[in-house]
Amino acid sequence: MEPVPVLVGVEGALVGRSFEVTTTGLRLGREPGNEVWLDDAGVSRQHARVILHNGAVWVQDAGSRNGVFVNGERVADHRTMKPGDKVAVGVHAFELRLSAPGAASSPPKPAAPPKHRADARTTFVEDPSAAAPRRWVWWPFALALFFVVGCIGCFGVYGWMHPHDGPDASASAPAWSLSTVVPTEGGAAPVAPAPSVSDALAVAAGADAEAQRAKLPDAPAGTTAAELVERANVSYETGRLNDALTTYQMALKLDPACAICQVRIERLNGEIAEKAQAQLDAGMRYWDRMQVPEAVAAWETVVLLVPNPDDPLHQRAVESLAKAKGQPPK
C-alpha cells in the first residue's frame, strides 16, 4: 500500500504525536473541535488547515492573528508542502512525513490531566486511542439537531412565501468550510469587486450588452467559458465563494448565454452577503463582550468577503475596524 502523509509534532506540546492528513483535512486551532487541538493563547480558535487535495498536501491560513509559517516563511494564503517541510503554528511545529497507512499513532492518555496553570501555554489533544471510555455528552447533539430543524423550518417558510421558478443549479453550496479559500489546481482566481447581479443578467438578456459586458472581469487569455465554469464549480463546491463568483462572471462575459453562470452569480451574491452580515454581527457581539481581537478578525473577514468599497456591509466593517483600532474612518 502507498504511504500516506502525516504531520508529526517536533516542537511544542505535541512532540511525537502524529496525525494523518486526509482529503477531509486537519484543522489546527485553540477550539476543542479541531482535529489538532492546541490550548494556547497564541493560537487562534481556527488557526490553520492542512489538507490532501489532488495528491498534494496543502496548508492554508484560516484567518489567524499570528500567522502560519512553513520552513520559517509566512503563508500568505495557501501553499503546497513536501515531505520534510515544517509548518509552525505559534510555538508548535509539525513536520510532514510519509508513513504506512494506519501507522499514525499517539502516546497513551495520561491517567490524570495536569492542573491548569495561569501561565500554561498548551494542553494535550484528547487521544481517541486511549483505553478509558469517553464520557457521552448528549447536549451538543441535541443543540445541533434543534438548529438543523429550525433552519429547515425557516427555509420552508421562506420558500413558501417566496416561490422561485427560475432554473436550478446542478450542484449545491458546501455545508461547511474552514475558510473561503481552499487550494485547487491552477491556483486561485483573482478576487475583484463584483458587478451587481442585474448587470450580469442584463448581458445575457442583451440589454445594452456591450456596456454591461464591459463591467464584468476579463477572463485569462486562452481560456474558454467551459473551462472557467468547471474551475468555478470546483471553487463553489469547496467553499471559495469569492473565487467562484469572479470565475462565473468571467465565463458569463465569454458566453452571455451561460445559464449556470447566471444562476450561480445570483446565488453567490446572496450567500456572500449573508456570510458578511453574520460576521459583521459576530464582530459586534465580540465588541460588546470586550473581545477586541475576535471582533477585529470578524470585521476583517467582512472586508475580504465584500471587497467593494461602495457596499454598505464593507463600509460598516471599515468604520468598526477604525473604531476598534482608534483611527478615523477612511
Side-chain angles (χ1 to χ4, degrees):
M1 298 178 68
E2 295 184 358
V4 297
V6 295
L7 286 183
V8 180
V10 293
E11 295 180 21
L14 304 182
V15 173
R17 296 291 301 275
S18 58
F19 306 88
E20 181 177 345
V21 181
T22 66
T23 55
T24 58
L26 286 175
R27 297 170 296 171
L28 293 77
R30 196 173 75 247
E31 196 170 75
N34 293 298
E35 286 79 14
V36 182
W37 178 28
L38 300 168
D39 189 10
D40 187 334
V43 177
S44 298
R45 286 183 171 83
Q46 294 180 349
H47 199 107
R49 188 184 187 195
V50 181
I51 185 172
L52 179 63
H53 183 74
N54 288 343
V57 176
W58 294 78
V59 59
Q60 66 179 102
D61 190 328
S64 65
R65 296 192 305 273
N66 297 327
V68 180
F69 298 83
V70 173
N71 297 331
E73 181 180 350
R74 183 161 186 168
V75 178
D77 188 4
H78 59 269
R79 58 167 290 176
T80 56
M81 292 181 62
K82 62 182 182 299
D85 286 349
K86 293 182 180 179
V87 56
V89 175
V91 297
H92 315 276
F94 302 85
E95 182 177 336
L96 179 64
R97 301 177 185 173
L98 295 179
S99 176
S105 61
S106 304
K109 180 182 177 182
K115 294 183 178 180
H116 179 74
R117 300 179 306 177
D119 60 344
R121 297 281 295 175
T122 59
T123 186
F124 286 102
V125 176
E126 184 69 24
D127 184 9
S129 64
R134 299 183 66 178
R135 184 177 178 182
W136 173 258
V137 180
W138 62 269
W139 65 265
F141 299 96
L143 184 61
L145 179 61
F146 177 79
F147 177 77
V148 170
V149 172
C151 289
I152 293 175
C154 291
F155 281 118
V157 172
Y158 180 86
W160 177 73
M161 297 179 63
H162 303 275
H164 177 62
D165 298 327
D168 189 17
S170 60
S172 60
W176 176 88
S177 177
L178 183 61
S179 69
T180 57
V181 180
V182 174
T184 59
E185 285 193 60
V191 178
S196 66
V197 181
S198 59
D199 289 343
L201 296 181
V203 175
D208 194 13
E210 292 300 326
Q212 298 294 345
R213 187 179 294 111
K215 297 181 180 180
L216 297 177
D218 293 324
T223 57
T224 65
E227 293 172 342
L228 291 173
V229 168
E230 182 177 357
R231 185 185 304 174
N233 287 341
V234 173
S235 299
Y236 183 80
E237 292 166 1
T238 53
R240 296 167 50 212
L241 303 185
N242 281 359
D243 292 348
L245 177 61
T246 302
T247 310
Y248 280 127
Q249 290 169 342
M250 292 177 181
L252 185 62
K253 188 169 186 177
L254 291 178
D255 181 11
C258 178
I260 186 66
C261 299
Q262 302 168 25
V263 174
R264 288 288 171 84
I265 288 173
E266 183 175 5
R267 178 178 295 181
L268 281 167
N269 273 285
E271 292 183 9
I272 291 173
E274 289 179 3
K275 287 181 178 290
Q277 183 64 58
Q279 288 294 319
L280 188 67
D281 295 340
M284 295 304 300
R285 290 193 297 271
Y286 285 131
W287 179 261
D288 292 339
R289 294 197 296 263
M290 301 185 68
Q291 294 176 275
V292 178
E294 289 79 0
V296 169
W299 291 329
E300 288 177 343
T301 301
V302 177
V303 175
L304 292 175
L305 285 171
V306 187
N308 186 354
D310 296 328
D311 192 285
L313 290 173
H314 182 100
Q315 295 173 354
R316 290 176 59 190
V318 170
E319 293 173 357
S320 299
L321 284 170
K323 178 177 63 175
K325 297 177 180 179
Q327 300 174 356
K330 296 181 180 180

